[in-house]
Amino acid sequence: MSSGGSWPDSAAIRAAAEVAGRTAAEADASGRVSVETVEALAAAGFPGCFVPERWGGAGATCETVLRAVAEVGTGCASAAWIASLLAYNGRFGAYLPGDGQEEVWAKGPHTRLVSSMVASGVEARPVPGGWAVSGSWLYVSGVEFADWALISSALPREGDRAVRVFALPREVFSYKSTWATVGMHATGSHTLTANEAFVPEYRSFVWDDMRQGILAGPATRSQAAPLFSVNGLTFAAPILGAARGALELAGQHLAVPAGGPRAAARESNLFSFARAAAEIDAAELLLSRVADTADQGRRDNGLAERSHRDATVAVEILVGAVDRLFRVTGTRGQASSHRMQRIWRDVHAAASHAALQFEPAALGYTRRLLSA
């Protein structure tokens, strides 16, 4: 495994994973991860993973973040989703001008950043010294406990230099409780709202620079990787962890001697378990290559598109493995009190994220390959 400077603290990661797993059922029922879990994730250092080192960042790698997020996801996919976004939103913040970075991380690298590029009815009006920003932004995971938010002026499009990203402090935005889903319920991905929030010029950057990995200041290779080299990792890592959790549960189920109708299906279930285990390992290998490509800072033609493709394929494999394991646990796994049904719901909900859809990733990869 790659080294990420002084990060991760393995004991702190294990502690965060334990808290997340212990409180997962309550979080799912309430629609929000517990305060204890959020504090454990912060104590484990997730918010500071990709923060520039001059502001106290950990100098983490995508590989170490992948593994740490997956460890949390074994017990709670929603908590892992929050952990991953806390980490990668710090990477987004590194695209701000120096004065903006200094303001965002004035209190240290533990600052909790959330983000949304899904703009709805947004107006960013130029005013002296910056912009006045109003509107709504959808699906802002973790907005309830955010210190700062990074939001876009419009829905971003490749090559569009007009779309900007703005950094808003907590005192100038609020949120509406709009997240009520079958899976990933505890992510609290509500709607952020702002009304005439002033954003100075130094707290904004062009979204397309982030897409291309163009930073004005010093950066690690991971920070300067093009967006689609790493974007799939952000959302795939929690699914990898959840799949591992499903494998663990299915193993416990199969370890109990079967009797009656269950006995007839036992051999078939053993085959299913072995196949799912191999599928999870295969998906992890794909995601590790995506992480390694970003950590090496490689910008060869088509590598960002390949990484995007690989992340979506890995997620498709993981969803299939979880489906297989869900069937292994039978009606027991479908009980509302059983952890397996929550994993199954969370994995399917997480896999529906726009960044994890195979078709656009496949088109981007193939078109780039054929144009080379």
Side-chain angles (χ1 to χ4, degrees), residues 278-345:
E279 289 170 336
I280 293 167
D281 285 348
E284 182 174 0
L285 288 171
L286 273 175
L287 294 175
S288 290
R289 184 171 76 167
V290 173
D292 185 62
T293 299
D295 290 335
Q296 290 183 37
R298 295 180 61 190
R299 290 175 173 269
D300 311 33
N301 285 345
L303 281 183
E305 289 81 5
R306 188 189 74 179
S307 290
H308 189 196
R309 178 206 69 185
D310 285 356
T312 64
V313 170
V315 166
E316 286 191 350
I317 293 170
L318 290 169
V319 171
V322 171
D323 282 348
R324 204 181 303 280
L325 295 167
F326 187 45
R327 290 193 295 272
V328 165
T329 56
T331 52
R332 293 189 182 188
Q334 297 174 36
S336 59
S337 59
H338 202 286
R339 185 175 147 211
M340 182 64 89
Q341 56 81 24
R342 172 167 48 81
I343 292 174
W344 183 79
R345 288 187 287 109

Side-chain angles (χ1 to χ4, degrees), residues 17-18 21-22 70-76 239-256 272-274 276-278 280-281 321-322 324-326 328-329 338-340 342-343:
E18 187 278 327
R22 173 165 46 82
E71 185 168 350
V72 175
T74 302
C76 179
I239 299 174
L240 173 62
R244 288 181 185 166
L247 188 70
E248 177 185 308
L249 284 177
Q252 293 170 0
H253 179 82
L254 291 172
V256 178
S272 294
F273 180 86
I280 293 167
D281 285 348
V322 171
R324 204 181 303 280
L325 295 167
F326 187 45
V328 165
T329 56
H338 202 286
R339 185 175 147 211
M340 182 64 89
R342 172 167 48 81
I343 292 174

Side-chain angles (χ1 to χ4, degrees), residues 205-233:
F205 62 88
V206 176
W207 179 85
D208 201 59
D209 285 342
M210 183 170 68
R211 180 187 69 84
Q212 297 183 67
I214 300 173
L215 286 98
T220 65
R221 291 173 177 175
S222 301
Q223 287 167 337
L227 178 62
F228 285 103
S229 290
V230 299
N231 206 31
L233 287 175

Side-chain angles (χ1 to χ4, degrees), residues 126-180:
V127 296
W131 294 268
V133 179
S134 299
S136 299
W137 291 264
L138 310 180
Y139 314 129
V140 189
S141 301
V143 66
E144 296 164 287
F145 52 78
D147 298 316
W148 286 79
L150 296 169
I151 46 90
S152 64
S153 60
L155 290 172
R157 294 181 298 176
E158 182 176 331
D160 189 340
R161 304 290 296 172
V163 177
R164 302 192 68 88
V165 177
F166 303 109
L168 303 182
R170 183 64 184 86
E171 59 267 22
V172 303
F173 67 81
S174 58
Y175 70 90
K176 299 177 182 176
S177 296
T178 54
W179 185 250

Side-chain angles (χ1 to χ4, degrees), residues 55 93 95-106 148 167 200-204:
W55 311 120
Y95 286 83
L96 288 166
D99 289 348
Q101 293 183 30
E102 184 174 12
E103 190 169 341
V104 168
W105 289 301
W148 286 79
E201 291 180 4
Y202 64 81
R203 275 206 261 118
S204 176

